[in-house]
Amino acid sequence: MWFHKLLHLQSRLQNLMNRGDIGQVPHLSNFKSLFSLSMHWCHTASKSVNCTWHQHEDHLELQYASTVMRFDYVWLRDHCRSASCYNSKTHQRNLDTASVDLCIKPKTIRLDETTLFFTWPDGHVTRYDLDWLVKNSFEGQKQKVIQPRILWNAKLYQQAQVPSADFQSFLETNEGLKKFLQNFLLYGIAFVENVPPTQEHTEKLAERISLIRETIYGRMWYFTSDFSRGDTAYTKLALDRHTDTTYFQEPCGYNNYDRAVINTVPYDVVHRWYVAHRTLTTELRRPENELWVKLKPGKVLFIDNWRVLHGRESFTGYRQLCGCYLTRDDVLNTARLLGLHA
């Protein structure tokens, strides 16, 4: 490429200057001025690729596919996909990241078709496909399409008329499961109808999309009103808006009932906490933000505890309820296997 020829020419000129033969080179000062501009920006254009890059002191600026990207030089060395640095079968690094010089810079950069080649000070060569860089750059990630989420209230959800999934379709067809997961990702809740009202069928439903998480409540929990359990959930009392397992190392979210004694912060911070708590509680209890649903035998509700709080009104009579906790990673994994960008 012309850029490399220009570098070679500069090297010869430098040798001439070092020998004091500068008089043999006409218009050298003008050439140096031209070169100082040329050495920073590199441009290549063809029928198949249009790529421009700029070498800064600590990073590379790359423009390709209508995206301007910036890559730290350590990142470029660390993510090398050569056989000595990366195991393509296990998708794990062979390179010790801690061994990379934090001040590393490439000696040369060149483009061949759609591949950028970086030669490092120790002679190692890293190659990156331009499309791979776009896909894995910070700027490219910002443009990445993910499954949409909707901030909704009761009115918006009711107007959307989101259909429930059918039990048989959910279990037996990928299309039925995919449609259910689309709604679940969109709103953070989703329903399945026509489920035989047994613990076994509820468990079978849950296992269709995720591993069931073992907790202190067991694999599946099944309960009626029983205050001897020492838990408000096992009573007929109303439950305010909350998420579950806030006392776990990996809790689902906010729960006003299971709050421990606040004894880890000084009094002035505590008061600020109470002010913030009041603001949050006021927002959570706005009627327009509440969606009331009457669960009947055969109707199963899935809730994303990272997005949607749940609760209940007090009740009379006899009620049986069963359920379980699912692992978030597996739910999202199932969605991705079905082609959703979860």
Side-chain angles (χ1 to χ4, degrees):
M1 291 172 57
W2 66 266
F3 179 66
H4 299 291
K5 292 178 180 177
L6 193 61
L7 285 178
H8 179 65
L9 182 56
Q10 187 219 20
S11 177
R12 293 183 61 189
L13 289 170
Q14 187 64 51
N15 290 336
L16 289 172
M17 288 189 288
N18 291 340
R19 294 203 311 266
D21 296 333
I22 194 167
Q24 299 178 20
V25 186
H27 310 298
L28 179 60
S29 60
N30 291 338
F31 175 78
K32 287 175 66 179
S33 175
L34 171 64
F35 182 77
S36 66
L37 295 174
S38 302
M39 67 182 294
H40 294 292
W41 280 100
C42 303
H43 176 79
T44 180
S46 68
K47 294 180 180 179
S48 58
V49 63
N50 192 331
C51 174
T52 304
W53 71 87
H54 183 190
Q55 286 182 254
H56 293 271
E57 183 65 21
D58 59 351
H59 71 279
L60 176 76
E61 183 176 337
L62 175 68
Q63 182 169 348
Y64 173 70
S66 302
T67 304
V68 177
M69 300 159 280
R70 294 168 180 84
F71 298 96
D72 180 85
Y73 291 136
V74 178
W75 187 97
L76 288 167
R77 181 64 187 90
D78 180 48
H79 286 79
C80 179
R81 265 28 186 179
S82 67
S84 62
C85 297
Y86 183 77
N87 190 319
S88 59
K89 292 184 178 180
T90 64
H91 301 290
Q92 293 174 316
R93 282 181 170 81
N94 296 326
L95 175 67
D96 177 13
T97 301
S99 70
V100 179
D101 182 357
L102 294 179
C103 296
I104 197 169
K105 300 176 187 176
K107 286 179 65 178
T108 62
I109 302 175
R110 69 179 179 89
L111 179 73
D112 184 4
E113 295 296 330
T114 60
T115 304
L116 268 179
F117 292 82
F118 298 83
T119 302
W120 303 102
D122 62 358
H124 183 82
V125 177
T126 296
R127 63 184 66 191
Y128 287 116
D129 182 83
L130 291 174
D131 289 329
W132 188 94
L133 288 173
V134 172
K135 179 181 177 182
N136 291 282
S137 67
F138 171 75
E139 293 80 6
Q141 285 291 314
K142 288 197 299 183
Q143 299 174 14
K144 186 177 179 181
V145 177
I146 63 170
Q147 202 63 29
R149 270 72 166 169
I150 287 180
L151 292 175
W152 54 275
N153 56 22
K155 182 178 179 180
L156 289 174
Y157 188 84
Q158 290 164 346
Q159 288 178 340
Q161 297 183 332
V162 183
S164 298
D166 176 72
F167 176 67
Q168 290 301 128
S169 176
F170 182 97
L171 285 184
E172 298 174 2
T173 71
N174 284 341
E175 189 57 39
L177 179 60
K178 182 176 181 179
K179 184 62 178 175
F180 166 86
L181 286 169
Q182 281 179 322
N183 290 330
F184 181 70
L185 293 173
L186 197 61
Y187 294 99
I189 62 170
F191 297 89
V192 181
E193 301 268 18
N194 305 317
V195 183
T198 68
Q199 180 175 324
E200 292 73 25
H201 285 88
T202 305
E203 183 176 1
K204 189 176 183 181
L205 195 74
E207 289 177 328
R208 175 76 164 116
I209 61 172
S210 170
L211 295 173
I212 295 176
R213 182 177 176 181
E214 292 276 2
T215 70
I216 57 176
Y217 303 105
R219 176 178 166 82
M220 297 287 297
W221 33 266
Y222 180 81
F223 62 86
T224 60
S225 301
D226 181 8
F227 196 67
S228 66
R229 300 291 294 270
D231 190 326
T232 312
Y234 289 81
T235 71
K236 298 179 181 180
L237 301 174
L239 290 178
D240 201 3
R241 304 109 185 110
H242 68 281
T243 58
D244 290 353
T245 69
T246 52
Y247 35 81
F248 285 4
Q249 288 292 328
E250 299 175 358
C252 294
Y254 168 89
N255 190 326
N256 198 41
Y257 292 104
D258 296 322
R259 224 176 352 98
V261 175
I262 303 174
N263 56 15
T264 57
V265 291
Y267 79 96
D268 55 329
V269 177
V270 166
H271 189 78
R272 285 160 51 199
W273 183 90
Y274 278 110
V275 172
H277 176 272
R278 186 64 48 83
T279 301
L280 175 63
T281 303
T282 300
E283 194 64 32
L284 293 176
R285 290 178 178 173
R286 291 185 186 279
E288 62 267 28
N289 291 333
E290 297 177 343
L291 177 69
W292 288 89
V293 177
K294 187 173 183 178
L295 286 179
K296 300 177 295 183
K299 189 170 188 174
V300 173
L301 167 63
F302 287 77
I303 301 174
D304 182 346
N305 271 297
W306 284 19
R307 289 185 58 193
V308 180
L309 287 81
H310 63 280
R312 71 162 185 244
E313 187 56 273
S314 60
F315 65 94
T316 58
Y318 182 74
R319 185 188 76 155
Q320 292 178 319
L321 187 70
C322 73
C324 60
Y325 296 113
L326 306 180
T327 60
R328 186 176 187 84
D329 285 340
D330 287 301
V331 173
L332 296 179
N333 228 19
T334 301
R336 294 183 187 114
L337 286 172
L338 291 172
L340 300 175
H341 297 284

